[in-house]
Amino acid sequence: MAARKPTPLQTVAVDLRTHGVFELATGEVVEPQAGSGAQSGDTRFHFEGGGRWASYGKKLVERIWARGSGYTKNDKLVVGFYLGRTQVGLKAVPVTKQEVAHELEIRPASAGESMNRLARGNILIPVQRFGAITLYRLNVRLVYDGGSESQREQAKYDPAPIIPLTD
């Protein structure tokens, strides 16, 4: 059997003007051409905007997901849901337990139990109450979307998450 020759790297011409990324040669940001309306169809550099990068404690998240953490599969689903819904600063995530249950395709009672367990473990922090409805945000020590200076300041006041959680 003959040895295969390695194929040279292929270069692909991509119209960077349609993707809103930066050009490697110059380091300049290349915005899509206004009014061009033409897209190249190449989605390798495509980014659905609207979100921001949030800093989060990877070691802490890893400990929540670890076996023996005291948190159930549904709890971990709820944490993942809140990671995706974190808003800038310390705003509450504007969803009810029923909406969380609907999004995660779990029973509302299970979502409520998980949210209560996560609140007992200081993973979810209650921010606002409207009658029987409580709105939560994630603990700043777990995830924060905002400036590092305000993150350090707020971390002084948020309680440390409890892992492993014991009942």
Side-chain angles (χ1 to χ4, degrees):
M1 180 182 269
R4 275 181 116 175
K5 283 180 144 180
T7 58
L9 293 175
Q10 297 177 345
T11 58
V12 178
V14 176
D15 184 4
L16 293 177
R17 293 171 293 161
T18 62
H19 295 291
V21 296
F22 65 93
E23 192 170 345
L24 293 175
T26 63
E28 292 182 33
V29 175
V30 180
E31 296 294 330
Q33 284 183 335
S36 68
Q39 295 289 328
S40 68
D42 185 350
T43 59
R44 291 176 300 155
F45 303 110
H46 185 67
F47 174 72
E48 290 290 335
R52 290 169 38 115
W53 287 102
S55 59
Y56 68 97
K58 293 179 183 178
K59 291 286 186 192
L60 188 54
V61 171
E62 182 180 324
R63 288 179 54 207
I64 293 170
W65 258 263
R67 182 177 294 191
S69 68
Y71 295 101
T72 66
K73 288 181 182 179
N74 285 347
D75 299 346
K76 296 167 190 178
L77 280 172
V78 171
V79 170
F81 176 84
Y82 273 85
L83 280 172
R85 297 285 178 108
T86 297
Q87 297 194 8
V88 177
L90 301 172
K91 295 179 183 174
V93 177
V95 292
T96 64
K97 293 176 183 180
Q98 288 76 17
E99 292 170 325
V100 171
H102 179 72
E103 286 291 320
L104 298 177
E105 298 176 354
I106 59 177
R107 294 181 308 115
S110 298
E113 290 169 9
S114 289
M115 292 171 79
N116 290 336
R117 190 176 302 110
L118 291 166
R120 257 193 341 269
N122 298 328
I123 305 293
L124 290 181
I125 305 294
V127 178
Q128 292 178 328
R129 285 192 74 91
F130 302 102
I133 297 172
T134 303
L135 298 182
Y136 297 93
R137 67 170 170 81
L138 281 174
N139 190 321
V140 168
R141 295 171 189 263
L142 182 70
V143 66
Y144 188 78
D145 186 5
S148 62
E149 193 172 311
S150 58
Q151 178 182 6
R152 283 192 305 273
E153 182 64 26
Q154 185 58 35
K156 294 177 185 176
Y157 306 108
D158 271 8
I162 301 169
I163 305 168
L165 182 69
T166 55
D167 287 325

